[in-house]
Each structure stands twice: as C-alpha cells, then as structure tokens.
Amino acid sequence: MAADRRAKAATLDLRRRLLSSSCRLFFPENPVKIIRGQGQYLYDEQGREYLDCINNVAHVGHCHPTVVQAAHEQNLVLNTNSRYLHDNIVDYAQRLSETLPEKLSVFYFLNSGSEANDLALRLARQYTGHQDVVVLDHAYHGHLSSLIDISPYKFRNLDGQKAPLPDTYRGPYREDHPDPAGAYASEVKHVISSAQKKGRKIAAFFAESLPSVSGQIIPPAGYFSQVAEHIRRAGGLFVADEIQVGFGRVGKHFWAFQLEGEDFVPDIVTMGKSIGNGHPVACLATTQAVSRAFEATGVEYFNTFGGNPVSCAVGLAVLDVLKTEQLQAHATNVGSFLMEHLSQQKAKHPIIGDVRGTGLFIGVDLIKDETLRTPATEEAEYLVSRLKENYILLSTDGPGRNILKFKPPMCFSLDNAQHVVAKLDDILTDMEEKVRSCETLRIKHPPGSTGPGCRAAAGSRPSNLEQGNLVIKSAP
Ligand SMILES: Cc1ncc(COP(=O)(O)O)c(C=O)c1O
C-alpha cells in the first residue's frame, strides 16, 4: 500500500520514465490518480469521489463484494489450468449456455477480448478455408497483430474489406431513408463482391453487436440479419463481438445481438471486459460444426490461464450478481430515464444533435451545426474536462470524437443519471452564455480579434463563434 501514499506528481513522473507513452492516460494534462473503487464510484488519493459513467468492465460495480469473495475463496483452495477436471469450468460453460441460443453450445475460455477475437479469426478461417474478413469502418476488435489488421479504429489505412458504419444519423443512409437496413447491408454485399472479383474469399464478417468505439451506433433493425445472409452466401461466418455490449447492458436482452430478433444467431460470439468485472476473463461461444472443424486439425487449444478455477468462479459470481440484483432490468429502467432526460437537454441545447441508445449503452452526438451535423470535437473535449472538474468521468468516441459515451457500471442509479444530466445542463448553459458574451464582444472588437469571454469558454484555447450557434471553435 506504500504506493498509494506516493504523491501524485511522483507517480506521474515514475510512469513517464518507466512506461511507454503509447500507454495513454485519461486527461493527460492533469491525470486522475485513483486508489479505490466501489460500486459506480472511484476515489482519488485525496479521497475525492468521482462518478464513473464509462467503466463497462466493472460491470456489476467496482470491487463488488460477491465477486471479490468468490475469487478469494477459490484462490484459497486451488488455481490451476483447464487440463484437470474441475467443476467451475463446466458449471460456468453451462450457465453461459443458458443465456445463449441453443446452437451456440461450445465454449472456449481465454484471458482477454483480443484473444477471443483472434481465436474467432482462426476458427472462421479453419471452418471456411477462406482468409478474408469484412469489418465495419472505425471498428476496433483488439490489440493483437491479427486484429489491428482488421481494426480501422486504430489502423486508419486498412485497405480493403471495410463496409460503412450503419449509422443512420451521420452515415450515407439516414433516418429519412426508406430502408437504411437494406441499403447498409447492400454495402456489405458490394464489399464482398469486390473482394470476390479480385479472387479473394470471405472467412467472416466481424462486428460489435452495437458498434461502440465507432460512436455508440444503433444499427437499423434488420441490418445484421441481411448482412448474415450475404456473408453466409459467400461462405463466411458471422462473428458478434459482445466484448463491450454483452451481459445485460442493453437492458431488453442479455446479449446485444438479440436486439435483432430471436431468429438471428451469430456463428461465433466473443465476450470480454464485463465478463469478469475487472478480472481478466474472456470467452468464445460457437457451434458444434465450427468447433469440430477446428478439432479436425488435431492441434490442441491450450491457454495457460484461460478457464482456470479462479477465473470461472469470478465469472459465475458476476452472473449471480446480475441475477440477484436484477441488473438487466435495472439497466432498462435507468437507461430509459437517462435517455429521456438527455432528450430533454437536446430540445434545450442545439449542440446536442442526437441522443441514442438502449439500456445503459447511450451516446450523445454533439454537433456544430444542424444541417451538416459537423462533429463538435473540441466542444465535446471541453465538456468532458468540465465534467471531470465536477467529479464526473465521461469519455468521447466516434470518428469525430464528438460522441459522449455512457457505459457505466450497471449499478448506476436514477440519482446518478439525474446528477449527470443536471451538470451537463449547467455546463452547456454556461458555454452558451460565454459564446453569447463572445458575440457581443466581437461586435465591439475589430474583425479577427476574439474577446476574453471566448477564451474562458474554451479553456484558454482561442475560439470564435459560428453562425450564431452555441459553438466554441478552436483556431487551427
Ligand atoms: C469491441 C472490442 N473488442 C475487442 C477488444 C479487445 O479487448 P481486450 O482489450 O480485452 O483485449 C476491445 C477492447 O477495447 C473492444 O472494445
């Protein structure tokens, strides 16, 4: 515990010296040193309490006592690998199978989401005998070499099988399109045909069941079923990445892919993050047929830590807590309340272009102007930093980094929702006020100069006003 007593500046200094700067910090100018977590709250070294609106890993709440106790009890008895018979791994597979369609009946246990997606890639290639993968633009599926290659989010130059995000707010087919699901699915079909014309063969389509890193996107109903038809016709498999969005987060269903309807069943589902509430656990579920094709290679699948008795005890405890605390229903209630209140803010503040989501998966799309829906990137960053000053942790994502992402621990309460919305309202009102005073000042100032109100609004960044909108725009 000595490390907790180190001054924050000393920790930062050591980190800068010893860790790669590729491992980034939240709020790099003034990072937060967190030393304790409980439920939906994080505490810094001064004991200040932050409301966590973004940690979808601490799914049932930071340091949930049931989960911690389960790990501790199993640690006291045994932790070894999956080459020995043990009840935890089979109990866990059985409990997970109860949440999934019958067809997804074979389980592999691993340590991270990246490992699960990497195995999905291997299984799909083995089953189909094909190599290529179709992904959505701006997707992220993991940090391994195999996955960076299929993650446009990190590797923007990805050339090839990348279909447009099914984003009905800012994509090519919007809310006024008569059939956005069909139109976006046709784009996938087009990507498949172009690859085939070059002699390529498709092994899989990978997508998050609700694209999260791409900006909390809700694909139009029917999209994934049509994509699955196109992909299977090309001989490929459908891989649903549930690493951010599974385990009841979407409220109405346990898995986000189930939003597509009962008949829709992916060939592979990958799970991570929330599955172990912070303990490194991951899982892949697939069909007997896909698994058998992999077994036929004769290659053993061995993962030193995957499926160990402690990890499985943790996974089982997470499922228990979800059930006993009825967190899926809670996500529906709190999520609807939050959506409703955020929508009221949209009516009040024109910077809010769109509020979308389901359960405790919500995105607030900030825009500079209503017609072009230009991403309000700097404003989003400014808002997040002001929220942090108010002890609320929120983040942005999406290609324009202008979508506020709500993905809190599932115990996030109605009071928490009310509190965040009130603060958001205060900050946006204050921003609008500053922009207004900026306009007044600009009239008095010679053209090109900006007044002090503008500078204050953008947190020392030079700013200007655009078209009377409540826009604080950074100078290039
Ligand atoms: C959608 C998605 N898939 C896969 C991963 C990779 O998971 P991990 O970081 O556990 O390897 C992430 C991580 O951020 C993710 O968001």
Side-chain angles (χ1 to χ4, degrees):
M1 286 290 133
D4 290 347
R5 290 195 293 271
R6 186 178 281 128
K8 182 171 134 180
T11 308
L12 183 59
D13 183 50
L14 266 183
R15 180 172 164 127
R16 284 193 176 134
R17 271 198 282 140
L18 298 171
L19 272 67
S20 163
S21 61
S22 309
C23 304
R24 299 202 184 135
L25 284 160
F26 279 141
F27 312 108
E29 305 86 37
N30 185 16
V32 189
K33 182 173 179 182
I34 296 296
I35 60 162
R36 191 167 73 81
Q38 190 179 8
Q40 62 275 50
Y41 302 104
L42 290 170
Y43 299 86
D44 72 8
E45 79 290 1
Q46 314 258 9
R48 288 176 295 216
E49 181 181 273
Y50 290 81
L51 176 61
D52 185 353
C53 304
I54 49 179
N55 198 318
N56 55 0
V57 175
H59 194 57
V60 297
H62 291 278
C63 305
H64 194 291
T66 305
V67 180
V68 173
Q69 188 63 22
H72 179 60
E73 281 173 13
Q74 185 56 51
N75 257 320
L76 288 172
V77 182
L78 172 77
N79 198 12
T80 182
N81 63 58
S82 62
R83 278 188 177 134
Y84 297 101
L85 273 181
H86 197 278
D87 281 333
N88 286 8
I89 193 166
V90 289
D91 284 345
Y92 192 31
Q94 195 166 40
R95 287 280 297 280
L96 285 171
S97 77
E98 286 161 12
T99 69
L100 284 159
E102 220 177 315
K103 223 178 117 193
L104 296 167
S105 57
V106 186
F107 296 85
Y108 294 81
F109 292 100
L110 322 91
N111 312 299
S112 70
S114 297
E115 280 192 6
N117 280 337
D118 181 71
L119 180 61
L121 206 52
R122 282 178 73 190
L123 292 180
R125 286 179 172 154
Q126 185 57 39
Y127 179 77
T128 62
H130 301 169
Q131 279 302 305
D132 284 25
V133 172
V134 179
V135 292
L136 293 178
D137 199 5
H138 214 73
Y140 176 67
H141 294 295
H143 60 80
L144 301 181
S145 311
S146 57
L147 303 168
I148 287 295
D149 287 350
I150 64 162
S151 294
Y153 180 71
K154 298 276 167 168
F155 184 46
R156 295 301 303 161
N157 297 333
L158 181 93
D159 188 19
Q161 284 89 241
K162 193 170 66 178
L165 264 176
D167 178 353
T168 52
Y169 183 66
R170 52 174 69 255
Y173 313 112
R174 298 189 174 181
E175 64 280 2
D176 54 354
H177 191 281
D179 177 22
Y184 280 115
S186 293
E187 293 279 350
V188 176
K189 190 176 172 202
H190 175 71
V191 168
I192 296 170
S193 324
S194 312
Q196 287 172 332
K197 277 186 197 131
K198 289 185 234 154
R200 316 289 311 177
K201 289 184 176 166
I202 306 299
F205 171 80
F206 269 69
E208 280 191 87
S209 304
L210 292 178
S212 65
V213 293
S214 331
Q216 308 288 89
I217 307 296
I218 310 288
Y223 168 72
F224 281 134
S225 310
Q226 293 182 56
V227 168
E229 270 178 40
H230 297 319
I231 215 78
R232 286 175 181 147
R233 207 168 295 134
L237 299 184
F238 191 107
V239 181
D241 180 332
E242 291 268 341
I243 288 163
Q244 291 224 22
V245 293
F247 292 90
R249 172 157 301 279
V250 301
K252 283 187 216 119
H253 301 279
F254 198 79
W255 301 106
F257 72 78
Q258 292 169 322
L259 289 163
E260 185 67 4
E262 283 207 356
D263 295 339
F264 177 69
V265 181
D267 300 291
I268 296 177
V269 173
T270 55
M271 313 162 199
K273 290 195 191 276
S274 50
I275 186 172
N277 213 51
H279 184 87
V281 188
C283 178
L284 178 152
T286 190
T287 61
Q288 293 285 346
V290 170
S291 183
R292 270 201 297 271
F294 193 57
E295 289 156 19
T297 63
V299 177
E300 179 192 10
Y301 181 76
F302 178 63
N303 187 317
T304 302
F305 301 116
N308 70 69
V310 173
S311 295
C312 292
V314 165
L316 281 161
V318 170
L319 293 178
D320 287 343
V321 175
L322 280 168
K323 200 167 172 181
T324 51
E325 297 183 9
Q326 299 179 6
L327 291 177
Q328 190 181 321
H330 180 79
T332 304
N333 293 340
V334 179
S336 324
F337 177 86
L338 183 54
M339 284 276 290
E340 193 187 313
H341 283 73
L342 288 168
S343 300
Q344 287 166 8
Q345 294 300 307
K346 174 174 174 304
K348 188 170 171 191
H349 302 289
I351 193 171
I352 300 181
D354 191 31
V355 176
R356 51 183 177 254
T358 167
L360 284 172
F361 174 92
I362 296 174
V364 178
D365 196 318
L366 302 182
I367 52 169
K368 285 184 196 288
D369 61 279
E370 218 173 321
T371 322
L372 296 176
R373 299 179 178 176
T374 312
T377 310
E378 299 84 2
E379 293 82 352
E381 189 190 335
Y382 172 69
L383 195 57
V384 165
S385 75
R386 288 281 306 271
L387 284 167
K388 180 204 158 202
E389 286 166 16
N390 284 278
Y391 305 103
I392 294 171
L393 301 173
L394 200 66
S395 66
T396 59
D397 227 322
R401 301 208 69 82
N402 63 311
I403 322 287
L404 302 178
K405 288 179 80 168
F406 286 89
K407 49 187 180 89
M410 296 273 279
C411 48
F412 197 78
S413 69
L414 291 172
D415 281 352
N416 295 149
Q418 210 153 27
H419 176 64
V420 177
V421 173
K423 285 289 173 205
L424 201 69
D425 187 16
D426 286 351
I427 298 167
L428 288 177
T429 305
D430 183 50
M431 281 165 79
E432 287 158 9
E433 204 43 57
K434 280 172 172 148
V435 170
R436 257 181 238 117
S437 63
C438 175
E439 186 174 37
T440 314
L441 288 164
R442 282 186 73 189
I443 291 164
K444 289 181 192 157
H445 283 74
S449 72
T450 52
C454 314
R455 283 178 200 285
S460 83
R461 232 186 260 120
S463 319
N464 63 20
L465 187 80
E466 232 181 37
Q467 296 287 328
N469 277 326
L470 51 117
V471 172
I472 303 161
K473 190 177 165 209
S474 296

